[in-house]
Amino acid sequence: MTNPNNATISTVHTAEFTSGHALQIPTLRILQDDGSIYPGAEVPQLDKATALKMYDSMQFIRILDERMLAAQRQGRISFYMQCLGEEAATVGSAAALDDKDMIMAQYREQGALRYRGFSLEQFMNQLFSNEKDLGKGRQMPVHYGSQDIYYMTISSPLGTQIPQASGYAYAQKLRGLKNTTICYFGEGAASEGDFHAGLNMAAVHKAPVIFFCRNNGYAISTPANEQFKGDGIACRGVGYGMKAIRVDGADILAVYKATQMARDYALEHEEPILIESIAYRLGAHSSSDDPSGYRSKEEEELWRKNDPISRYRLWLVKQGWLNEDEDKAKSDALRQEILDALKVAEKVAKPGIEHLMSDVYETPIPLLNEQLEELKAHIRKYPDAYPVTAGRFE
Amino acid sequence: MAKMNMLQAINNALDLAMAKDDGVVCFGEDVGHFGGVFRATSKLQEKYGKARCFNTPLTEQGIAGFANGMAAQGMKPVAEIQFADYIFPAFDQIVNETAKFRYRSGNEFNVGGLVFRTPYGGGIAGGHYHSQSPEAYFAHTPGLKIVVPRDPAQAKGLLLASINCPDPVIFFEPKKLYRASVGEVSEEYYEIPLGKAEVLQQGKDVTVLAWGAQMETIQKAVDMAQAEGISCEVIDLRSIQPWDVDTVAESVMKTGRLVINHEAPLTGGFAAEIASTIQKKCFLHLESPIERVCGLDIPYPLALEKEYVPDHLKTYEAIKRSVNF
């Protein structure tokens, strides 16, 4: 007899409900706090150059975040979001991918972006929305994207990239590309309908996508226990019929290992897979948020000790791959480099007025050309009111 | 040439598009083996395989999101939303994502290959949720193109142009006409340009404008008015976004009067956009107020559908009011 319900039917004769916490997924951790490896844990295959590139990317983001949050406080950029405490999750996962695997992120994945090769200048141009910004100055700071490095442009609406990643990966499969798509999102975004839609679509249509959930405990002020009642996010993947794993997001070796295995599995079996990374959002949600209104300093201090960078640094030193004095000098030099790049980017002109109308459609529709001409005429009449663009067109 | 109804013409267009380009993929609820609840995708799975014509889970936001992803990769998804009434769960994906994809990325990425096909409009006793005409919601969103055909030959040419268009398109199909509208359709591949209205009949006293299934309605009204000696110019708008301002303005400058008909509710309907634009462009040529003959500002009703719709009699009265003002 065929079973149109697509459900396993094994009958029982006493009524018994399955517990909502019947499935409890353990957390993979490889690296101990002191930089040593847990007994029995398997260190992923990692050459020195890759290991150090991972470290450099984490350090870069840590220092960039610190510097640019300060720049926002000084009013030099309008907005900023740091990823303090989550550097390992995004760098470690990106490092396990092929350079041509698509990355579709939420907004707190600068680590992955840096690992892929987004330059300091490109970060700055986007943050200052100047005319060199790949996004032509149209989106808020931190909404990065670059076709060259397969990093899909970020958008603010939460969770929308999840079903998009399923479709993107399905297209990769259809074209016979040996590439996958990784889709990052927070545990708050996982409450959106698009999470359900995206995971279910990927499972049913066998899209080789890696769903990577950053469960950092908070969605702005909302703690995870007000976000969902189940055992985190990983168990949901199982409900959609896909493999899932939970990793310590502050342990870059665990993240790297899990992502590497997930990628191999997704491509070999043409199936989606879910990784839930457990970390803590050490910083504020954004430059517009003050976490002291909803959580304690004690809690923050506790997690501050779980620093993904210092743990990894200890391991690298043990490997003989990193010298702490050289590392310190390098960090200081980077701080200066960032400051210099900031000063350059903030002096670059804003995009020209024609970029208001370009790219709405591939070619502007007549109405847009008309509106642009009217706007130019208006600006010519009141140049003092529009100093950014006045005088820059014929 | 072959005799086809609108569904056959749409099916033929999809068939030709899939044959021409491997990137064209059709999906949606019941679109696969079954061929769609209206049979617009009939036999496509058989011909092009399950990977290129398939059923999706029942989730409109998922369909739209999936389509966005495929199009961002460079393919040409033709996603079906079973009824336009159910496009609203996908509103966020369409308005915030599809429409802004190219702009927000500085043209680093785009979903230009994307088409959403969806049956729209009333006249089939569909009540609240099988009758709506939501084009005006989308017309308010820069970045989308919106197309509505009126007959089989047009449906085919406009759909092929939509699939080939470098911008995302929402293609509204008047389901009332799916089987009712039959005509000669070329079996060859051809496109009808987007953004261009069509003047179906020349006239000198009043311009009467509509799109989709309402073209039949206004034609009846125009025939009644002509019998009384009123010369009507009839325009099918065809594209709601971008809409052909020049053709409409040129006509109104000649006739001095304009009657716009659409099935969607009056308030916030696309006729308001046309009326205000034409009022500005043709102010010195207008002989009477622009008339809007539209649905009532109520949810689409079941039992009193006949009373609700902007039918030929209501349009005929509006033509006379316009001419006799």
Side-chain angles (χ1 to χ4, degrees):
Chain A
M1 194 173 68
T2 59
N3 173 19
N5 308 87
N6 194 33
T8 311
I9 311 286
S10 63
T11 51
V12 292
H13 307 293
T14 48
E16 193 188 329
F17 288 93
T18 301
S19 160
H21 284 83
L23 180 61
Q24 288 175 341
I25 295 179
T27 304
L28 174 70
R29 197 170 162 183
I30 292 174
L31 201 49
Q32 303 202 56
D33 286 344
D34 65 358
S36 61
I37 301 299
Y38 277 97
E42 195 190 330
V43 178
Q45 289 215 327
L46 200 56
D47 59 68
K48 182 181 170 187
T50 308
L52 289 179
K53 186 179 170 191
M54 287 159 70
Y55 180 75
D56 288 347
S57 300
M58 291 166 84
Q59 280 285 64
F60 175 89
I61 288 301
R62 174 77 48 103
I63 296 168
L64 179 78
D65 275 358
E66 182 188 292
R67 187 55 246 155
M68 297 318 290
L69 189 66
Q72 193 281 333
R73 296 288 180 241
Q74 295 163 347
R76 295 164 88 171
I77 57 172
S78 58
F79 179 77
Y80 196 72
M81 299 179 106
Q82 48 178 349
C83 70
L84 193 63
E86 296 185 72
E87 297 92 342
T90 53
V91 171
S93 49
L97 302 174
D98 179 83
D99 280 350
K100 289 184 175 169
D101 289 341
M102 177 52 73
I103 295 177
M104 296 175 80
Q106 179 166 302
Y107 49 60
R108 214 181 294 285
E109 294 88 359
Q110 298 97 306
L113 185 71
R114 177 57 181 180
Y115 187 85
R116 268 296 163 84
F118 207 62
S119 71
L120 171 58
E121 193 190 355
Q122 286 174 317
F123 273 99
M124 285 302 166
N125 291 337
Q126 201 286 331
L127 293 169
F128 282 96
S129 45
N130 64 31
E131 67 178 3
K132 289 184 175 172
D133 168 27
L134 291 175
K136 301 179 188 166
R138 291 170 183 150
Q139 290 213 84
M140 286 174 74
V142 189
H143 291 57
Y144 308 107
S146 165
Q147 191 184 22
D148 282 350
I149 57 169
Y150 294 80
Y151 195 96
M152 184 67 72
T153 302
I154 306 290
S155 75
S156 307
L158 285 184
T160 48
Q161 80 280 17
I162 303 173
Q164 290 172 10
S166 305
Y168 198 97
Y170 183 80
Q172 287 171 316
K173 181 177 86 167
L174 233 55
R175 288 203 191 276
L177 304 173
K178 292 291 164 223
N179 282 106
T180 179
T181 297
I182 193 165
C183 178
Y184 294 105
F185 52 89
E187 90 288 347
S191 296
E192 293 283 1
D194 272 344
F195 168 87
H196 160 68
L199 268 71
N200 196 37
M201 294 276 287
V204 169
H205 291 296
K206 293 172 75 76
V209 50
I210 302 166
F211 296 111
F212 192 104
C213 178
R214 295 178 294 95
N215 182 348
N216 64 17
Y218 288 89
I220 308 187
S221 74
T222 306
N225 66 11
E226 292 175 29
Q227 200 67 244
F228 46 80
K229 192 79 185 112
D231 183 46
I233 306 299
C235 64
R236 296 188 201 168
V238 177
Y240 289 107
M242 71 180 74
K243 286 199 175 200
I245 191 170
R246 176 172 291 149
V247 300
D248 180 343
D251 175 352
I252 197 163
L253 297 183
V255 173
Y256 183 84
K257 175 92 186 162
T259 312
Q260 205 173 38
M261 286 172 66
R263 180 177 193 275
D264 289 347
Y265 184 85
L267 284 174
E268 189 188 335
H269 297 269
E270 298 188 328
E271 275 180 30
I273 196 158
L274 174 63
I275 299 172
E276 179 186 21
S277 143
I278 303 286
Y280 187 81
R281 194 198 74 211
L282 265 176
H285 164 68
S286 73
S287 57
S288 311
D289 172 49
D290 173 13
S292 69
Y294 52 82
R295 69 187 189 190
S296 68
K297 281 271 169 260
E298 292 73 38
E299 182 185 287
E300 287 180 14
E301 282 318 310
L302 204 65
W303 281 89
R304 205 176 298 279
K305 292 191 188 108
N306 194 33
D307 178 15
I309 297 188
S310 56
R311 205 195 294 179
Y312 186 44
R313 183 188 298 123
L314 290 172
W315 183 74
L316 289 171
V317 170
K318 271 192 213 296
Q319 297 291 103
W321 288 352
L322 190 76
N323 174 299
E324 293 203 71
D325 291 338
E326 284 171 22
D327 180 44
K328 170 83 175 59
K330 214 168 151 187
S331 297
D332 291 343
L334 179 60
R335 243 174 228 106
Q336 189 54 48
E337 208 186 315
I338 288 175
L339 204 60
D340 294 344
L342 186 156
K343 285 178 184 159
V344 171
E346 74 183 337
K347 289 195 184 74
V348 175
K350 296 293 178 212
I353 197 159
E354 67 280 8
H355 291 305
L356 273 179
M357 302 302 183
S358 64
D359 305 329
V360 176
Y361 298 93
E362 195 212 33
T363 316
I365 59 173
L367 182 69
L368 297 188
N369 290 326
E370 222 174 275
Q371 290 179 1
L372 180 60
E373 289 315 310
E374 279 174 21
L375 179 59
K376 283 182 179 174
H378 175 80
I379 292 172
R380 279 189 204 101
K381 196 167 176 188
Y382 298 99
D384 296 348
Y386 309 94
V388 171
T389 51
R392 286 181 63 198
F393 49 86
E394 75 307 327
Chain B
M1 295 295 260
K3 203 161 225 167
M4 293 187 201
N5 65 28
M6 189 179 279
L7 280 167
Q8 289 163 331
I10 288 166
N11 184 253
N12 181 240
L14 293 173
D15 190 356
L16 289 173
M18 290 178 88
K20 185 169 173 258
D21 186 340
D22 283 349
V24 178
V25 176
C26 296
F27 54 91
E29 295 157 14
D30 305 297
V31 160
H33 174 68
F34 182 59
V37 293
F38 292 103
R39 319 312 303 275
T41 53
S42 189
K43 303 266 190 258
L44 296 179
Q45 188 178 81
E46 209 172 288
K47 207 162 165 184
Y48 299 101
K50 260 186 143 167
R52 289 184 61 201
C53 178
F54 55 87
N55 290 337
T56 63
L58 212 165
T59 166
E60 286 77 16
Q61 66 193 92
I63 293 168
F66 201 81
N68 277 330
M70 286 189 75
Q73 202 280 334
M75 299 195 87
K76 293 184 167 181
V78 182
E80 178 179 305
I81 301 293
Q82 199 161 76
F83 286 87
D85 312 66
Y86 305 127
I87 203 166
F88 300 111
F91 202 68
D92 182 47
Q93 279 287 348
I94 298 173
V95 170
N96 276 331
E97 299 291 316
T98 307
K100 297 171 178 58
F101 225 95
R102 191 190 292 276
Y103 190 74
R104 74 184 182 203
S105 70
N107 204 21
E108 287 288 297
F109 298 97
N110 73 83
V111 293
L114 173 50
V115 176
F116 290 110
R117 290 181 39 246
T118 187
Y120 89 103
I124 61 151
H128 296 341
Y129 306 114
H130 300 82
S131 306
Q132 292 179 54
S133 300
E135 66 271 20
Y137 290 102
F138 296 100
H140 195 57
T141 302
L144 301 173
K145 289 190 171 169
I146 303 166
V147 177
V148 194
R150 71 162 188 280
D151 66 24
Q154 223 191 46
K156 178 175 170 181
L158 287 171
L159 180 54
L160 285 171
S162 299
I163 293 169
N164 204 22
C165 170
D167 299 307
V169 177
I170 306 183
F171 192 80
F172 288 105
E173 300 168 0
K175 61 175 140 359
K176 187 170 85 173
L177 302 185
Y178 266 161
R179 292 189 175 81
S181 178
V182 180
E184 290 293 326
V185 179
S186 163
E187 287 163 289
E188 304 297 308
Y189 181 100
Y190 65 92
E191 293 183 13
I192 297 175
L194 307 186
K196 294 262 178 274
E198 185 181 3
V199 180
L200 293 176
Q201 181 182 314
Q202 300 279 342
K204 57 180 180 48
D205 297 330
V206 56
T207 301
V208 187
L209 168 79
W211 51 88
Q214 289 305 99
M215 290 311 297
E216 284 192 346
T217 304
I218 65 167
Q219 192 58 54
K220 265 196 221 173
V222 162
D223 291 347
M224 288 170 72
Q226 305 257 101
E228 295 184 16
I230 301 171
S231 166
C232 301
E233 181 139 312
V234 180
I235 299 181
D236 176 2
L237 199 60
R238 298 200 297 201
S239 283
I240 305 293
Q241 187 66 275
W243 69 284
D244 188 349
V245 179
D246 291 346
T247 296
V248 180
E250 196 184 312
S251 172
V252 173
M253 285 199 245
K254 183 175 70 175
T255 63
R257 298 177 180 87
L258 177 62
V259 175
I260 311 162
N261 174 305
H262 63 61
E263 207 175 281
L266 174 82
T267 303
F270 198 66
E273 184 58 41
I274 298 170
S276 70
T277 303
I278 294 302
Q279 184 264 146
K280 185 168 183 192
K281 296 226 176 235
C282 309
F283 189 70
L284 294 174
H285 300 264
L286 283 170
E287 304 281 347
S288 66
I290 295 171
E291 287 278 349
R292 292 184 285 158
V293 189
C294 304
L296 305 173
D297 286 329
I298 59 171
Y300 199 105
L302 182 67
L304 302 184
E305 184 171 19
K306 257 186 141 25
E307 282 72 11
Y308 169 87
V309 295
D311 65 6
H312 62 289
L313 292 174
K314 292 176 187 171
T315 311
Y316 168 63
E317 285 299 318
I319 292 171
K320 285 200 297 184
R321 273 199 304 278
S322 178
V323 174
N324 298 328
F325 182 78

